[in-house]
């Protein structure tokens, strides 16, 4: 699966809820693909908008290695104390920043079979990943919660990367068109001979 990067519109959209009838075998296959994509990229969480889907769900496999699917999650409580921890994101590869978040979080969601479940007072990496992925569903990235200068520099860096990639793709396409035109011209010459 393609992981969408900073600058792509879907990452800034507020996601819509998943309807009960959408939770089916096709969607469960999608979750499996998301876990594979997340793990091959050395991630611990992956939200739907990161794979181009503006729906309210994410997958997590944090410090206990349990595969968890959260559909239409709701954060039902957070601790008053906050902890700082270096965060990164598969949609912003290579960039890391210390972000302060509540140390504990409670969440309620549907699982991959549409059954409601709750996690009360998740802590450590699981608490952080739940909060990070939950933010994705509202179009919020971790860089929005830290140093504004770091945020602007990161956005500028990714904008330049996207522009360079677009220029490179256009050059490649122009070269392919030129080769195709030369081949067509040679074929036409042979046809007239």
């Amino acid at each position: 699966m393609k992981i969408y990067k900073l600058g792509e519109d879907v990452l800034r959209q507020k996601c819509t809820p998943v309807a009960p009838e959408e939770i089916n075998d096709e969607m469960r296959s999608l979750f499996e693909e998301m876990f594979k994509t997340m793990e091959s990229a050395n991630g611990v969480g992956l939200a739907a908008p990161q794979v181009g889907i503006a729906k309210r769900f994410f997958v997590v496999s944090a410090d206990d290695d349990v595969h968890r699917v959260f559909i239409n999650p709701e954060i039902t409580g957070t601790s008053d104390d906050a902890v700082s921890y270096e965060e990164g994101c598969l949609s912003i590869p290579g960039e890391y920043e210390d972000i302060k978040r509540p140390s504990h979080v409670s969440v309620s969601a549907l699982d991959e079979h549409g059954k409601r479940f709750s996690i009360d007072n998740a802590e450590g990496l699981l608490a952080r990943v739940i909060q990070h992925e939950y933010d994705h569903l509202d179009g919020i990235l971790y860089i929005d919660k830290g140093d504004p200068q770091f945020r602007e520099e990161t956005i500028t860096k990714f904008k330049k990367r996207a522009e360079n990639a677009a220029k490179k793709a256009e050059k490649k396409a122009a070269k392919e068109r030129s080769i195709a035109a030369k081949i067509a011209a040679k074929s036409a010459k042979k046809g007239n001979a």
Side-chain angles (χ1 to χ4, degrees), residues 29-190:
S29 293
L30 173 64
F31 299 145
E32 286 308 311
E33 282 302 306
M34 288 176 70
F35 278 118
K36 286 178 192 167
T37 301
M38 175 190 84
E39 288 164 355
S40 68
N42 295 315
V44 290
L46 190 63
Q50 292 181 275
V51 292
I53 303 165
K55 289 284 192 173
R56 296 190 75 79
F57 64 86
F58 58 81
V59 300
V60 168
S61 181
D63 34 14
D64 57 5
D65 289 328
V66 175
H67 280 199
R68 292 183 175 93
V69 174
F70 295 79
I71 302 170
N72 298 337
E74 289 178 37
I75 289 185
T76 56
T78 57
S79 60
D80 291 333
D81 64 312
V83 290
S84 198
Y85 187 85
E86 187 178 69
E87 284 190 34
C89 181
L90 296 178
S91 292
I92 313 174
E95 302 298 325
Y96 302 92
E97 184 182 16
D98 281 342
I99 301 296
K100 207 172 218 182
R101 294 189 188 267
S103 62
H104 291 73
V105 65
S106 295
V107 63
S108 173
L110 300 176
D111 69 10
E112 64 272 26
H113 301 290
K115 301 270 188 280
R116 172 116 353 239
F117 73 97
S118 295
I119 299 176
D120 293 320
N121 283 319
E123 60 185 339
L125 185 60
L126 180 59
R128 181 155 301 265
V129 176
I130 288 170
Q131 293 173 78
H132 177 109
E133 301 309 329
Y134 186 86
D135 280 349
H136 272 297
L137 305 184
D138 290 323
I140 299 167
L141 302 174
Y142 82 91
I143 59 171
D144 302 331
K145 295 186 169 276
D147 175 43
Q149 185 178 344
F150 176 81
R151 179 185 184 276
E152 291 312 311
E153 288 170 0
T154 303
I155 288 170
T156 300
K157 189 185 293 185
F158 275 77
K159 195 177 206 174
K160 283 181 183 166
R161 281 186 198 172
E163 287 168 359
N164 289 340
K167 283 179 190 171
K168 207 173 186 178
E170 180 49 42
K171 276 185 184 176
K172 185 179 176 187
K175 189 174 183 178
E176 287 170 357
R177 287 192 299 270
S178 171
I179 291 168
K182 286 176 184 173
I183 291 170
K186 277 186 179 177
S187 293
K189 236 182 196 179
K190 282 182 183 175

